[in-house]
Amino acid sequence: MTETTGKSEKPTSGETDSRPRKSSWKYIGPGIVVAATGVGAGDLVATLIAGSNFGYTLLWAAVIGCLVKISLAEAAGRWHLSTGRTLFDGWASLGRWTTYFFVVYAVVWGFVYGAAAMSSSALPLQALFPGVFPDDWSIKPWAVLCGLVGLVFVWFNRYEVFEKVMTVLVGVMFVVTVYLAVRVTPNLGDALAGLLPVLPDEKDSVLNTLGLIGGVGGTITLAAYGYWVNAKGWTNTGWMKVMRLDNRVAYITTGIFVVAMLFVGAELLHSANVAIASGDQGLIQLGDILEEEYGTATAKFFLIGFFATSFTSLIGVWHGVSLMFADFVARYRTREQVTGEEVAAGGREKSWPFRAYLLWLTFPPIVLLFQGQPFRLVILYGVLGAAFLPFLALTLIWLLNSSRTPREWRNGPLSNAMLAIAGLLFLVLCVKQIWDQPWSEFL
């Protein structure tokens, strides 16, 4: 490969230049994509509620959450670059059980997530443009429109355009969240005190704290990071330093989003003892509160940021998980190793499995929007979603400590410790999620 000026590199036939590149800001890209996709409306609401309930007390937990996710994304990217193989190819080498888990996860999770992502993107549009559709239609027309726009955008554009659009939307998210954090005038003394690891004096404070740590940006998008690294044109160890800088930028950006929203929760809601709903409706409530406190312009500005947050998660999943699904199909059909070079060449984004999964993320969920979500399916969605991050952490430990990874790039003590902490954290949250499901009603 030849040096670029920051644009995506595609490998030419037979060319495998693995000379180390200097880590440089001009190459940054996949990290912006994973940050934008990983931070959805649900993450912002969870952080707002944490700030509303506990003030700055759990600021340290948000910071630790970012560090944990840095280790997971770095490990996924390191696997892709050090082995030249994709993550799904690594999973397949561990046994067929990984394939079964991924297929069930991709089918059930994608079906339910599609409807949730469309609804989340529709809420701020309905608030920004009231009266465009009849009130008795609710948000459904906006949701369908968001899903179709996401489908068309990802279908007809390659990674380079996708990354540029995501970068613009992240810029909007960044400006809005930082503006709100400054607008509420945070108490910096209390914020600094919140960096000390103290648990709130509340019932279930440990589980609530673990939930905040685990919810800071990203689920399957952490696994998709390695695919976006390849799609950028980074396919060998020469890009390792660049990838690590890119990954740090991703979670510093994520940290800024989360800390800014915790400031808003602490100052605007906690100090006034105002409670908001969990879920995306909580952000609509926040818009109403901002309008009362700071005027219509600030509320509209926030809703624009809310839309950018939701829509980046939508198109990020539409692209990243479809890329993973296409890789799964390629590995399943050939029964041979699949490489990052194949992803970098761009053929995956034009393949029928990529586009078939795009359609799966869009049209069946539209039916759910009008018919309501099947109860049992929603429970399975919650369980599979909770199980994915323990699966990712534990399989990365397995892959990166084995002969499948070149010795130079295997895990060191710090990487193993961080991945083990991540695995244990997400395993606890997974067990809690499974325990909390209404299984009596399910059966």
Side-chain angles (χ1 to χ4, degrees):
M1 296 181 194
T2 56
E3 290 287 344
T4 69
T5 57
K7 295 182 179 179
S8 174
E9 276 191 34
K10 301 297 181 191
T12 57
S13 179
E15 190 175 9
T16 56
D17 182 359
S18 59
R19 290 173 297 173
R21 271 76 172 177
K22 292 182 180 179
S23 56
S24 172
W25 292 93
K26 67 182 179 180
Y27 295 123
I28 298 303
I32 296 297
V33 172
V34 78
T37 307
V39 179
D43 298 291
L44 297 187
V45 172
T47 312
L48 269 174
I49 291 174
S52 173
N53 291 340
F54 309 118
Y56 295 102
T57 304
L58 291 180
L59 181 59
W60 63 273
V63 173
I64 288 179
C66 291
L67 295 176
V68 168
K69 300 296 176 59
I70 284 175
S71 66
L72 280 167
E74 188 276 340
R78 177 154 45 92
W79 166 264
H80 277 251
L81 296 182
S82 66
T83 65
R85 299 161 62 187
T86 63
L87 184 56
F88 187 84
D89 192 68
W91 285 339
S93 73
L94 301 178
R96 290 187 178 180
W97 66 276
T98 59
T99 299
Y100 300 147
F101 176 82
F102 178 79
V103 170
V104 175
Y105 178 87
V107 171
V108 175
W109 182 88
F111 187 36
V112 181
Y113 178 83
M118 286 185 249
S119 297
S120 179
S121 299
L123 276 171
L125 291 177
Q126 185 187 42
L128 282 166
F129 305 105
V132 172
F133 297 108
D135 291 341
D136 57 348
W137 287 15
S138 185
I139 63 169
K140 293 181 178 66
W142 286 117
V144 171
L145 182 61
C146 289
L148 294 178
V149 169
L151 169 69
V152 171
F153 172 73
V154 176
W155 187 292
F156 290 105
N157 288 293
R158 302 281 74 82
Y159 176 80
E160 292 88 343
V161 176
F162 167 71
E163 182 189 287
K164 287 182 173 65
V165 170
M166 292 289 271
T167 301
V168 170
L169 291 173
V170 165
V172 174
M173 292 167 59
F174 187 90
V175 171
V176 170
T177 54
V178 171
Y179 167 77
L180 289 178
V182 173
R183 193 79 170 83
V184 299
T185 317
N187 186 319
L188 296 181
D190 288 349
L192 289 174
L195 294 173
L196 297 174
V198 176
L199 291 175
D201 186 19
E202 300 281 345
K203 181 182 177 182
D204 295 332
S205 62
V206 173
L207 289 174
N208 289 333
T209 302
L210 292 178
L212 179 61
I213 294 172
V216 180
T219 51
I220 196 172
T221 55
L222 291 164
Y225 178 65
Y227 288 86
W228 286 322
V229 163
N230 286 159
K232 180 75 169 175
W234 307 346
T235 57
N236 55 54
T237 55
W239 293 100
M240 196 70 75
K241 287 185 178 179
V242 176
M243 182 275 293
R244 284 170 167 163
L245 173 64
D246 180 76
N247 180 45
R248 293 185 190 110
V249 168
Y251 282 95
I252 289 172
T253 305
T254 299
I256 291 172
F257 292 150
V258 171
V259 169
M261 293 309 289
L262 191 138
F263 282 6
V264 173
E267 293 295 337
L268 192 62
L269 305 178
H270 181 70
S271 59
N273 198 27
V274 175
I276 61 171
S278 60
D280 299 341
Q281 286 289 347
L283 293 183
I284 295 296
Q285 284 182 259
L286 179 62
D288 295 337
I289 294 168
L290 287 169
E291 184 169 9
E292 292 177 9
E293 291 288 330
Y294 304 113
T296 302
T298 296
K300 297 291 186 187
F301 191 48
F302 165 72
L303 290 171
I304 292 170
F306 177 6
F307 172 74
T309 300
S310 298
F311 195 66
T312 51
S313 293
L314 186 152
I315 60 175
V317 167
W318 262 230
H319 186 275
V321 185
S322 297
L323 204 56
M324 293 181 68
F325 186 80
D327 189 57
F328 149 70
V329 173
R331 179 64 170 76
Y332 182 79
R333 293 175 68 188
T334 63
R335 305 289 180 177
E336 297 176 356
Q337 287 187 2
V338 288
T339 67
E341 295 280 350
E342 296 171 63
V343 178
R348 290 276 191 274
E349 296 165 278
K350 301 175 184 177
S351 66
W352 70 261
F354 180 92
R355 289 177 168 172
Y357 195 73
L358 266 180
L359 296 173
W360 175 254
L361 282 169
T362 306
F363 289 106
I366 286 176
V367 175
L368 287 186
L369 290 173
F370 290 90
Q371 299 296 324
Q373 297 184 356
F375 178 72
R376 289 182 175 86
L377 197 63
V378 172
I379 290 180
L380 290 176
Y381 164 79
V383 170
L384 288 169
F388 185 81
L389 284 177
F391 167 80
L392 177 62
L394 296 174
T395 54
L396 284 171
I397 290 175
W398 191 345
L399 290 170
L400 292 168
N401 284 287
S402 72
S403 59
R404 297 173 181 83
T405 304
R407 185 173 298 276
E408 178 185 359
W409 301 109
R410 291 178 196 169
N411 277 356
L414 179 60
S415 295
N416 276 327
M418 291 299 293
L419 288 177
I421 291 169
L424 182 60
L425 164 68
F426 295 124
L427 189 60
V428 170
L429 293 175
C430 177
V431 171
K432 180 180 185 296
Q433 179 80 357
I434 293 172
W435 182 265
D436 288 344
Q437 296 299 330
W439 293 107
S440 59
E441 299 177 40
F442 180 87
L443 299 173

